[in-house]
Short mmCIF file of all heavy atoms in Angstrom, two decimals:
data_model
loop_
_atom_site.label_atom_id
_atom_site.label_comp_id
_atom_site.label_asym_id
_atom_site.label_seq_id
_atom_site.Cartn_x
_atom_site.Cartn_y
_atom_site.Cartn_z
N MET D 29 -258.17 48.58 203.23
CA MET D 29 -256.88 49.24 203.31
C MET D 29 -255.74 48.25 203.07
O MET D 29 -254.77 48.58 202.41
CB MET D 29 -256.76 49.90 204.70
CG MET D 29 -255.49 50.63 204.91
SD MET D 29 -255.47 52.07 203.83
CE MET D 29 -253.94 52.77 204.28
N LEU D 30 -255.87 47.04 203.60
CA LEU D 30 -254.84 46.03 203.42
C LEU D 30 -254.69 45.64 201.95
O LEU D 30 -253.57 45.44 201.47
CB LEU D 30 -255.15 44.79 204.27
CG LEU D 30 -254.11 43.68 204.23
CD1 LEU D 30 -252.77 44.19 204.74
CD2 LEU D 30 -254.57 42.50 205.06
N LYS D 31 -255.80 45.57 201.23
CA LYS D 31 -255.74 45.24 199.80
C LYS D 31 -254.98 46.30 199.02
O LYS D 31 -254.23 45.98 198.10
CB LYS D 31 -257.14 45.07 199.23
CG LYS D 31 -257.81 43.79 199.65
CD LYS D 31 -259.15 43.62 198.98
CE LYS D 31 -259.80 42.34 199.43
NZ LYS D 31 -261.07 42.11 198.76
N LYS D 32 -255.15 47.55 199.39
CA LYS D 32 -254.44 48.64 198.71
C LYS D 32 -252.94 48.55 198.97
O LYS D 32 -252.13 48.77 198.08
CB LYS D 32 -254.98 49.99 199.15
CG LYS D 32 -256.34 50.31 198.60
CD LYS D 32 -256.79 51.68 198.99
CE LYS D 32 -258.16 51.96 198.42
NZ LYS D 32 -258.61 53.32 198.71
N ILE D 33 -252.57 48.20 200.19
CA ILE D 33 -251.15 48.07 200.53
C ILE D 33 -250.54 46.90 199.77
O ILE D 33 -249.43 47.02 199.23
CB ILE D 33 -250.97 47.90 202.05
CG1 ILE D 33 -251.38 49.19 202.76
CG2 ILE D 33 -249.55 47.51 202.39
CD1 ILE D 33 -251.42 49.10 204.25
N ILE D 34 -251.25 45.79 199.69
CA ILE D 34 -250.76 44.63 198.95
C ILE D 34 -250.62 44.96 197.47
O ILE D 34 -249.63 44.61 196.83
CB ILE D 34 -251.69 43.41 199.17
CG1 ILE D 34 -251.57 42.93 200.62
CG2 ILE D 34 -251.36 42.29 198.21
CD1 ILE D 34 -252.57 41.88 201.01
N HIS D 35 -251.60 45.66 196.92
CA HIS D 35 -251.54 46.06 195.51
C HIS D 35 -250.35 47.00 195.27
O HIS D 35 -249.63 46.84 194.28
CB HIS D 35 -252.85 46.74 195.11
CG HIS D 35 -252.90 47.14 193.68
ND1 HIS D 35 -252.95 46.23 192.65
CD2 HIS D 35 -252.90 48.37 193.10
CE1 HIS D 35 -252.97 46.88 191.51
NE2 HIS D 35 -252.94 48.18 191.75
N LEU D 36 -250.13 47.93 196.17
CA LEU D 36 -248.99 48.84 196.06
C LEU D 36 -247.68 48.07 196.13
O LEU D 36 -246.74 48.36 195.40
CB LEU D 36 -249.06 49.90 197.17
CG LEU D 36 -247.96 50.94 197.16
CD1 LEU D 36 -248.01 51.78 195.89
CD2 LEU D 36 -248.07 51.83 198.38
N TRP D 37 -247.62 47.06 197.00
CA TRP D 37 -246.42 46.23 197.12
C TRP D 37 -246.13 45.49 195.81
O TRP D 37 -244.99 45.42 195.37
CB TRP D 37 -246.60 45.24 198.27
CG TRP D 37 -245.43 44.33 198.45
CD1 TRP D 37 -245.39 43.00 198.19
CD2 TRP D 37 -244.12 44.69 198.90
NE1 TRP D 37 -244.15 42.50 198.46
CE2 TRP D 37 -243.34 43.51 198.90
CE3 TRP D 37 -243.55 45.87 199.30
CZ2 TRP D 37 -242.02 43.52 199.28
CZ3 TRP D 37 -242.22 45.86 199.69
CH2 TRP D 37 -241.47 44.69 199.67
N HIS D 38 -247.17 44.95 195.16
CA HIS D 38 -246.99 44.27 193.88
C HIS D 38 -246.50 45.23 192.79
O HIS D 38 -245.63 44.88 191.99
CB HIS D 38 -248.28 43.58 193.43
CG HIS D 38 -248.63 42.39 194.26
ND1 HIS D 38 -247.88 41.24 194.27
CD2 HIS D 38 -249.65 42.16 195.10
CE1 HIS D 38 -248.41 40.37 195.08
NE2 HIS D 38 -249.50 40.90 195.61
N ILE D 39 -247.04 46.42 192.78
CA ILE D 39 -246.60 47.43 191.80
C ILE D 39 -245.14 47.80 192.05
O ILE D 39 -244.36 47.91 191.11
CB ILE D 39 -247.52 48.67 191.85
CG1 ILE D 39 -248.90 48.33 191.31
CG2 ILE D 39 -246.91 49.83 191.07
CD1 ILE D 39 -249.92 49.42 191.48
N LEU D 40 -244.78 47.99 193.30
CA LEU D 40 -243.40 48.33 193.64
C LEU D 40 -242.44 47.22 193.21
O LEU D 40 -241.37 47.49 192.66
CB LEU D 40 -243.28 48.59 195.14
CG LEU D 40 -241.90 48.99 195.65
CD1 LEU D 40 -241.49 50.32 195.04
CD2 LEU D 40 -241.91 49.09 197.16
N ARG D 41 -242.82 45.96 193.41
CA ARG D 41 -241.98 44.84 193.00
C ARG D 41 -241.83 44.81 191.48
O ARG D 41 -240.76 44.48 190.96
CB ARG D 41 -242.57 43.52 193.48
CG ARG D 41 -242.43 43.33 194.97
CD ARG D 41 -242.82 41.94 195.41
NE ARG D 41 -241.76 41.03 195.00
CZ ARG D 41 -241.98 39.81 194.53
NH1 ARG D 41 -243.19 39.34 194.40
NH2 ARG D 41 -240.97 39.03 194.19
N GLN D 42 -242.88 45.14 190.74
CA GLN D 42 -242.81 45.18 189.28
C GLN D 42 -241.87 46.28 188.81
O GLN D 42 -241.06 46.08 187.91
CB GLN D 42 -244.19 45.39 188.67
CG GLN D 42 -245.08 44.18 188.73
CD GLN D 42 -246.46 44.48 188.18
OE1 GLN D 42 -246.88 45.63 188.09
NE2 GLN D 42 -247.17 43.43 187.82
N LEU D 43 -241.98 47.45 189.41
CA LEU D 43 -241.17 48.59 189.00
C LEU D 43 -239.68 48.38 189.27
O LEU D 43 -238.83 48.82 188.50
CB LEU D 43 -241.64 49.87 189.70
CG LEU D 43 -243.00 50.39 189.27
CD1 LEU D 43 -243.41 51.57 190.14
CD2 LEU D 43 -242.97 50.82 187.81
N THR D 44 -239.37 47.70 190.35
CA THR D 44 -237.97 47.48 190.71
C THR D 44 -237.39 46.23 190.07
O THR D 44 -236.18 46.02 190.13
CB THR D 44 -237.81 47.37 192.23
OG1 THR D 44 -238.56 46.25 192.71
CG2 THR D 44 -238.24 48.65 192.93
N GLY D 45 -238.22 45.39 189.49
CA GLY D 45 -237.73 44.16 188.88
C GLY D 45 -237.58 43.03 189.88
O GLY D 45 -237.03 41.98 189.56
N ASP D 46 -238.06 43.23 191.08
CA ASP D 46 -237.93 42.23 192.13
C ASP D 46 -238.77 40.97 191.83
O ASP D 46 -238.44 39.89 192.29
CB ASP D 46 -238.36 42.83 193.47
CG ASP D 46 -238.01 41.95 194.64
OD1 ASP D 46 -236.89 41.40 194.63
OD2 ASP D 46 -238.82 41.82 195.56
N ASP D 47 -239.80 41.11 191.03
CA ASP D 47 -240.64 39.96 190.69
C ASP D 47 -240.23 39.30 189.37
O ASP D 47 -240.93 38.43 188.87
CB ASP D 47 -242.10 40.38 190.63
CG ASP D 47 -242.41 41.27 189.45
OD1 ASP D 47 -241.47 41.89 188.89
OD2 ASP D 47 -243.59 41.36 189.06
N ALA D 48 -239.09 39.66 188.83
CA ALA D 48 -238.66 39.15 187.53
C ALA D 48 -238.53 37.64 187.53
O ALA D 48 -238.92 36.97 186.56
CB ALA D 48 -237.35 39.81 187.10
N TYR D 49 -237.99 37.07 188.59
CA TYR D 49 -237.82 35.62 188.64
C TYR D 49 -239.17 34.92 188.72
O TYR D 49 -239.39 33.89 188.07
CB TYR D 49 -236.94 35.21 189.82
CG TYR D 49 -236.63 33.74 189.85
CD1 TYR D 49 -235.82 33.17 188.87
CD2 TYR D 49 -237.12 32.91 190.85
CE1 TYR D 49 -235.53 31.81 188.88
CE2 TYR D 49 -236.83 31.56 190.87
CZ TYR D 49 -236.03 31.02 189.89
OH TYR D 49 -235.75 29.68 189.90
N ASP D 50 -240.10 35.48 189.48
CA ASP D 50 -241.45 34.90 189.57
C ASP D 50 -242.14 34.93 188.21
O ASP D 50 -242.80 33.96 187.81
CB ASP D 50 -242.29 35.66 190.59
CG ASP D 50 -241.71 35.58 191.99
OD1 ASP D 50 -241.04 34.57 192.30
OD2 ASP D 50 -241.93 36.53 192.76
N VAL D 51 -241.99 36.02 187.48
CA VAL D 51 -242.57 36.15 186.14
C VAL D 51 -241.92 35.14 185.19
O VAL D 51 -242.59 34.51 184.38
CB VAL D 51 -242.42 37.60 185.61
CG1 VAL D 51 -242.83 37.70 184.16
CG2 VAL D 51 -243.22 38.55 186.47
N TYR D 52 -240.60 34.98 185.31
CA TYR D 52 -239.88 34.01 184.48
C TYR D 52 -240.39 32.59 184.74
O TYR D 52 -240.63 31.82 183.81
CB TYR D 52 -238.38 34.10 184.76
CG TYR D 52 -237.61 32.88 184.30
CD1 TYR D 52 -237.38 32.65 182.95
CD2 TYR D 52 -237.13 31.95 185.22
CE1 TYR D 52 -236.69 31.52 182.53
CE2 TYR D 52 -236.44 30.83 184.80
CZ TYR D 52 -236.23 30.62 183.46
OH TYR D 52 -235.56 29.50 183.04
N LEU D 53 -240.54 32.23 186.01
CA LEU D 53 -241.02 30.88 186.33
C LEU D 53 -242.43 30.64 185.81
O LEU D 53 -242.75 29.56 185.32
CB LEU D 53 -240.98 30.65 187.84
CG LEU D 53 -239.60 30.46 188.45
CD1 LEU D 53 -239.71 30.28 189.96
CD2 LEU D 53 -238.88 29.28 187.82
N LYS D 54 -243.28 31.65 185.90
CA LYS D 54 -244.64 31.53 185.39
C LYS D 54 -244.62 31.34 183.87
O LYS D 54 -245.31 30.48 183.33
CB LYS D 54 -245.45 32.77 185.75
CG LYS D 54 -246.88 32.72 185.32
CD LYS D 54 -247.63 33.96 185.76
CE LYS D 54 -249.05 33.92 185.26
NZ LYS D 54 -249.77 35.15 185.57
N HIS D 55 -243.80 32.12 183.18
CA HIS D 55 -243.66 32.00 181.73
C HIS D 55 -243.13 30.62 181.36
O HIS D 55 -243.64 29.97 180.45
CB HIS D 55 -242.74 33.08 181.19
CG HIS D 55 -242.32 32.85 179.78
ND1 HIS D 55 -243.12 33.16 178.70
CD2 HIS D 55 -241.20 32.30 179.26
CE1 HIS D 55 -242.50 32.81 177.58
NE2 HIS D 55 -241.32 32.29 177.90
N HIS D 56 -242.12 30.17 182.07
CA HIS D 56 -241.50 28.87 181.78
C HIS D 56 -242.53 27.75 181.97
O HIS D 56 -242.60 26.83 181.16
CB HIS D 56 -240.28 28.66 182.68
CG HIS D 56 -239.45 27.50 182.25
ND1 HIS D 56 -239.73 26.22 182.65
CD2 HIS D 56 -238.36 27.42 181.46
CE1 HIS D 56 -238.84 25.40 182.12
NE2 HIS D 56 -238.00 26.11 181.38
N ALA D 57 -243.31 27.83 183.02
CA ALA D 57 -244.31 26.79 183.27
C ALA D 57 -245.40 26.78 182.20
O ALA D 57 -245.85 25.72 181.77
CB ALA D 57 -244.94 27.00 184.65
N GLU D 58 -245.80 27.96 181.74
CA GLU D 58 -246.88 28.05 180.76
C GLU D 58 -246.45 27.63 179.35
O GLU D 58 -247.20 26.99 178.63
CB GLU D 58 -247.44 29.47 180.71
CG GLU D 58 -248.23 29.85 181.93
CD GLU D 58 -248.71 31.29 181.89
OE1 GLU D 58 -248.50 31.97 180.85
OE2 GLU D 58 -249.29 31.73 182.88
N PHE D 59 -245.24 28.00 178.96
CA PHE D 59 -244.85 27.83 177.56
C PHE D 59 -243.79 26.76 177.31
O PHE D 59 -243.67 26.28 176.18
CB PHE D 59 -244.35 29.16 176.99
CG PHE D 59 -245.41 30.21 176.95
CD1 PHE D 59 -245.44 31.22 177.89
CD2 PHE D 59 -246.40 30.18 175.98
CE1 PHE D 59 -246.43 32.18 177.87
CE2 PHE D 59 -247.39 31.13 175.95
CZ PHE D 59 -247.41 32.14 176.90
N HIS D 60 -243.03 26.37 178.31
CA HIS D 60 -241.93 25.46 178.05
C HIS D 60 -242.08 24.09 178.71
O HIS D 60 -241.43 23.14 178.28
CB HIS D 60 -240.60 26.09 178.50
CG HIS D 60 -240.29 27.36 177.77
ND1 HIS D 60 -239.95 27.40 176.44
CD2 HIS D 60 -240.30 28.64 178.19
CE1 HIS D 60 -239.75 28.65 176.07
NE2 HIS D 60 -239.96 29.43 177.12
N GLU D 61 -242.88 23.97 179.73
CA GLU D 61 -243.02 22.69 180.42
C GLU D 61 -243.69 21.64 179.55
O GLU D 61 -243.41 20.46 179.66
CB GLU D 61 -243.79 22.87 181.73
CG GLU D 61 -243.03 23.63 182.78
CD GLU D 61 -241.82 22.86 183.31
OE1 GLU D 61 -241.90 21.63 183.46
OE2 GLU D 61 -240.80 23.50 183.57
N SER D 62 -244.58 22.05 178.67
CA SER D 62 -245.29 21.08 177.84
C SER D 62 -244.44 20.58 176.68
O SER D 62 -244.75 19.56 176.08
CB SER D 62 -246.58 21.72 177.29
OG SER D 62 -246.26 22.84 176.49
N SER D 63 -243.36 21.26 176.39
CA SER D 63 -242.47 20.87 175.30
C SER D 63 -241.54 19.74 175.77
O SER D 63 -241.03 19.76 176.89
CB SER D 63 -241.64 22.07 174.85
OG SER D 63 -240.74 21.69 173.86
N VAL D 64 -241.31 18.78 174.90
CA VAL D 64 -240.47 17.63 175.24
C VAL D 64 -239.01 18.03 175.39
O VAL D 64 -238.32 17.58 176.30
CB VAL D 64 -240.61 16.53 174.16
CG1 VAL D 64 -239.66 15.39 174.43
CG2 VAL D 64 -242.04 16.06 174.06
N ASP D 65 -238.52 18.88 174.51
CA ASP D 65 -237.11 19.26 174.53
C ASP D 65 -236.85 20.58 175.27
O ASP D 65 -235.82 21.22 175.06
CB ASP D 65 -236.57 19.35 173.11
CG ASP D 65 -237.32 20.38 172.27
OD1 ASP D 65 -238.38 20.83 172.70
OD2 ASP D 65 -236.83 20.70 171.17
N ALA D 66 -237.75 20.98 176.14
CA ALA D 66 -237.60 22.24 176.86
C ALA D 66 -236.48 22.13 177.89
O ALA D 66 -236.35 21.12 178.58
CB ALA D 66 -238.90 22.61 177.56
N PRO D 67 -235.66 23.17 177.99
CA PRO D 67 -234.62 23.16 179.02
C PRO D 67 -235.25 23.34 180.40
O PRO D 67 -236.33 23.92 180.53
CB PRO D 67 -233.74 24.35 178.66
CG PRO D 67 -234.65 25.27 177.92
CD PRO D 67 -235.63 24.38 177.19
N PRO D 68 -234.60 22.86 181.43
CA PRO D 68 -235.14 23.08 182.78
C PRO D 68 -235.07 24.55 183.15
O PRO D 68 -234.26 25.30 182.59
CB PRO D 68 -234.23 22.24 183.68
CG PRO D 68 -232.98 22.07 182.90
CD PRO D 68 -233.36 22.09 181.45
N ALA D 69 -235.92 24.95 184.06
CA ALA D 69 -235.92 26.35 184.49
C ALA D 69 -234.61 26.68 185.18
O ALA D 69 -234.01 25.83 185.84
CB ALA D 69 -237.08 26.59 185.44
N LEU D 70 -234.16 27.91 184.99
CA LEU D 70 -232.93 28.37 185.64
C LEU D 70 -233.16 28.52 187.14
O LEU D 70 -234.28 28.81 187.57
CB LEU D 70 -232.50 29.72 185.07
CG LEU D 70 -232.15 29.78 183.60
CD1 LEU D 70 -231.93 31.23 183.17
CD2 LEU D 70 -230.94 28.93 183.28
N SER D 71 -232.11 28.34 187.90
CA SER D 71 -232.20 28.62 189.33
C SER D 71 -232.27 30.14 189.51
O SER D 71 -231.97 30.91 188.59
CB SER D 71 -230.99 28.06 190.07
OG SER D 71 -229.83 28.79 189.73
N ARG D 72 -232.64 30.56 190.70
CA ARG D 72 -232.74 32.00 190.97
C ARG D 72 -231.38 32.67 190.74
O ARG D 72 -231.29 33.74 190.14
CB ARG D 72 -233.21 32.24 192.40
CG ARG D 72 -233.42 33.69 192.73
CD ARG D 72 -233.94 33.87 194.14
NE ARG D 72 -235.28 33.37 194.32
CZ ARG D 72 -236.39 34.09 194.15
NH1 ARG D 72 -236.30 35.35 193.81
NH2 ARG D 72 -237.57 33.56 194.33
N LYS D 73 -230.31 32.03 191.19
CA LYS D 73 -228.97 32.59 191.04
C LYS D 73 -228.58 32.68 189.57
O LYS D 73 -228.05 33.71 189.12
CB LYS D 73 -227.97 31.71 191.79
CG LYS D 73 -226.59 32.25 191.83
CD LYS D 73 -225.68 31.37 192.68
CE LYS D 73 -224.29 31.94 192.75
NZ LYS D 73 -223.41 31.12 193.60
N GLU D 74 -228.84 31.64 188.78
CA GLU D 74 -228.52 31.65 187.35
C GLU D 74 -229.33 32.71 186.62
O GLU D 74 -228.82 33.41 185.74
CB GLU D 74 -228.81 30.29 186.73
CG GLU D 74 -227.93 29.17 187.21
CD GLU D 74 -228.42 27.81 186.76
OE1 GLU D 74 -229.64 27.62 186.58
OE2 GLU D 74 -227.57 26.93 186.62
N PHE D 75 -230.62 32.81 186.98
CA PHE D 75 -231.49 33.79 186.33
C PHE D 75 -230.99 35.21 186.55
O PHE D 75 -230.87 35.99 185.61
CB PHE D 75 -232.93 33.66 186.84
CG PHE D 75 -233.83 34.74 186.32
CD1 PHE D 75 -234.31 34.68 185.02
CD2 PHE D 75 -234.16 35.82 187.11
CE1 PHE D 75 -235.14 35.69 184.53
CE2 PHE D 75 -234.97 36.83 186.62
CZ PHE D 75 -235.46 36.76 185.34
N PHE D 76 -230.69 35.57 187.78
CA PHE D 76 -230.26 36.93 188.06
C PHE D 76 -228.89 37.23 187.48
O PHE D 76 -228.62 38.37 187.09
CB PHE D 76 -230.32 37.25 189.55
CG PHE D 76 -231.71 37.61 189.99
CD1 PHE D 76 -232.46 36.77 190.79
CD2 PHE D 76 -232.30 38.79 189.56
CE1 PHE D 76 -233.74 37.09 191.17
CE2 PHE D 76 -233.59 39.13 189.93
CZ PHE D 76 -234.31 38.28 190.74
N LYS D 77 -228.02 36.24 187.41
CA LYS D 77 -226.72 36.44 186.75
C LYS D 77 -226.93 36.77 185.28
O LYS D 77 -226.35 37.73 184.76
CB LYS D 77 -225.87 35.18 186.90
CG LYS D 77 -224.60 35.16 186.09
CD LYS D 77 -223.47 35.85 186.80
CE LYS D 77 -222.16 35.62 186.08
NZ LYS D 77 -221.73 36.68 185.25
N LEU D 78 -227.77 35.99 184.60
CA LEU D 78 -228.08 36.24 183.19
C LEU D 78 -228.77 37.58 183.01
O LEU D 78 -228.45 38.34 182.10
CB LEU D 78 -228.96 35.10 182.65
CG LEU D 78 -229.35 35.18 181.19
CD1 LEU D 78 -228.12 35.04 180.30
CD2 LEU D 78 -230.36 34.09 180.86
N TRP D 79 -229.69 37.90 183.90
CA TRP D 79 -230.44 39.16 183.84
C TRP D 79 -229.50 40.36 183.98
O TRP D 79 -229.57 41.32 183.22
CB TRP D 79 -231.50 39.15 184.93
CG TRP D 79 -232.52 40.24 184.86
CD1 TRP D 79 -233.32 40.56 183.80
CD2 TRP D 79 -232.87 41.14 185.91
NE1 TRP D 79 -234.15 41.60 184.13
CE2 TRP D 79 -233.89 41.97 185.42
CE3 TRP D 79 -232.43 41.30 187.21
CZ2 TRP D 79 -234.47 42.97 186.19
CZ3 TRP D 79 -233.02 42.29 187.97
CH2 TRP D 79 -234.01 43.11 187.47
N GLN D 80 -228.60 40.29 184.96
CA GLN D 80 -227.65 41.38 185.16
C GLN D 80 -226.65 41.49 184.01
O GLN D 80 -226.31 42.59 183.59
CB GLN D 80 -226.88 41.19 186.48
CG GLN D 80 -227.72 41.44 187.71
CD GLN D 80 -228.14 42.89 187.83
OE1 GLN D 80 -227.36 43.79 187.56
NE2 GLN D 80 -229.37 43.10 188.23
N ASP D 81 -226.18 40.35 183.51
CA ASP D 81 -225.25 40.39 182.38
C ASP D 81 -225.90 41.04 181.17
O ASP D 81 -225.28 41.85 180.48
CB ASP D 81 -224.79 38.97 182.02
CG ASP D 81 -223.83 38.40 183.05
OD1 ASP D 81 -223.33 39.17 183.90
OD2 ASP D 81 -223.60 37.18 183.01
N ASN D 82 -227.14 40.70 180.88
CA ASN D 82 -227.84 41.29 179.74
C ASN D 82 -228.13 42.78 179.97
O ASN D 82 -228.09 43.57 179.03
CB ASN D 82 -229.15 40.56 179.47
CG ASN D 82 -228.92 39.21 178.85
OD1 ASN D 82 -227.88 38.95 178.24
ND2 ASN D 82 -229.87 38.31 179.01
N LYS D 83 -228.40 43.14 181.20
CA LYS D 83 -228.71 44.53 181.51
C LYS D 83 -227.49 45.44 181.33
O LYS D 83 -227.60 46.56 180.86
CB LYS D 83 -229.22 44.62 182.95
CG LYS D 83 -229.63 46.01 183.37
CD LYS D 83 -230.19 45.99 184.77
CE LYS D 83 -230.58 47.39 185.21
NZ LYS D 83 -231.12 47.39 186.57
N TRP D 84 -226.31 44.94 181.70
CA TRP D 84 -225.13 45.78 181.71
C TRP D 84 -224.16 45.48 180.57
O TRP D 84 -223.09 46.07 180.51
CB TRP D 84 -224.41 45.66 183.05
CG TRP D 84 -225.27 46.16 184.15
CD1 TRP D 84 -225.93 45.42 185.07
CD2 TRP D 84 -225.60 47.53 184.44
NE1 TRP D 84 -226.64 46.22 185.92
CE2 TRP D 84 -226.46 47.52 185.55
CE3 TRP D 84 -225.25 48.74 183.87
CZ2 TRP D 84 -226.96 48.69 186.10
CZ3 TRP D 84 -225.76 49.90 184.41
CH2 TRP D 84 -226.61 49.87 185.51
N LYS D 85 -224.53 44.59 179.65
CA LYS D 85 -223.65 44.26 178.54
C LYS D 85 -223.68 45.39 177.50
O LYS D 85 -224.73 45.93 177.20
CB LYS D 85 -224.11 42.94 177.89
CG LYS D 85 -223.22 42.48 176.77
CD LYS D 85 -223.62 41.17 176.15
CE LYS D 85 -224.99 40.67 176.43
NZ LYS D 85 -225.39 39.50 175.70
N GLY D 86 -222.55 45.71 176.95
CA GLY D 86 -222.50 46.70 175.89
C GLY D 86 -222.29 48.11 176.40
O GLY D 86 -222.16 48.35 177.60
N VAL D 87 -222.29 49.04 175.50
CA VAL D 87 -222.07 50.44 175.82
C VAL D 87 -223.37 51.03 176.36
O VAL D 87 -224.42 50.92 175.73
CB VAL D 87 -221.60 51.22 174.58
CG1 VAL D 87 -221.45 52.69 174.89
CG2 VAL D 87 -220.31 50.63 174.05
N LYS D 88 -223.29 51.68 177.52
CA LYS D 88 -224.49 52.26 178.15
C LYS D 88 -224.29 53.76 178.35
O LYS D 88 -224.44 54.30 179.43
CB LYS D 88 -224.74 51.59 179.50
CG LYS D 88 -224.98 50.12 179.46
CD LYS D 88 -226.25 49.79 178.73
CE LYS D 88 -226.49 48.30 178.77
NZ LYS D 88 -227.50 47.86 177.89
N ARG D 89 -223.91 54.43 177.28
CA ARG D 89 -223.73 55.87 177.37
C ARG D 89 -224.21 56.51 176.07
O ARG D 89 -224.41 55.84 175.07
CB ARG D 89 -222.28 56.23 177.65
CG ARG D 89 -221.32 55.67 176.64
CD ARG D 89 -219.87 55.88 177.11
NE ARG D 89 -218.98 55.11 176.27
CZ ARG D 89 -218.21 55.64 175.35
NH1 ARG D 89 -218.20 56.94 175.13
NH2 ARG D 89 -217.42 54.88 174.64
N CYS D 90 -224.37 57.79 176.10
CA CYS D 90 -224.92 58.47 174.94
C CYS D 90 -223.86 58.76 173.86
O CYS D 90 -224.19 58.85 172.69
CB CYS D 90 -225.61 59.76 175.35
SG CYS D 90 -224.48 61.00 175.99
N CYS D 91 -222.62 58.95 174.24
CA CYS D 91 -221.60 59.36 173.27
C CYS D 91 -220.43 58.41 173.21
O CYS D 91 -220.05 57.81 174.14
CB CYS D 91 -221.08 60.74 173.63
SG CYS D 91 -222.38 61.96 173.77
#
């Protein structure tokens, strides 16, 4: 039963975007850390600022 609750919690975090920073850090570690000229990973605050700016930038209406 505990495994099902934990699995449900992970799904809920994915759906709400709450795990976005964790996914970003995993991606950064896998693909950018081995590169010599890779930029450092963004802080949590910088990441969410960029994420929100990209989410709400531009026209978000049908007409």
Side-chain angles (χ1 to χ4, degrees):
M29 181 68 179
L30 183 60
K31 286 184 180 183
K32 288 184 180 183
I33 293 173
I34 291 171
H35 182 68
L36 182 63
W37 179 250
H38 289 293
I39 291 172
L40 181 63
R41 288 189 73 219
Q42 286 177 340
L43 291 174
T44 61
D46 191 42
D47 70 339
Y49 185 67
D50 298 331
V51 172
Y52 162 74
L53 287 178
K54 183 178 177 184
H55 168 80
H56 192 275
E58 289 177 4
F59 296 103
H60 299 290
E61 290 293 322
S62 61
S63 177
V64 175
D65 60 347
L70 298 173
S71 69
R72 184 178 292 269
K73 186 176 181 179
E74 293 169 331
F75 173 77
F76 278 110
K77 171 85 170 99
L78 181 65
W79 190 55
Q80 288 294 320
D81 288 346
N82 287 337
K83 183 177 179 180
W84 297 105
K85 183 178 16 174
V87 177
K88 300 294 183 192
R89 57 189 169 105
C90 67
C91 305

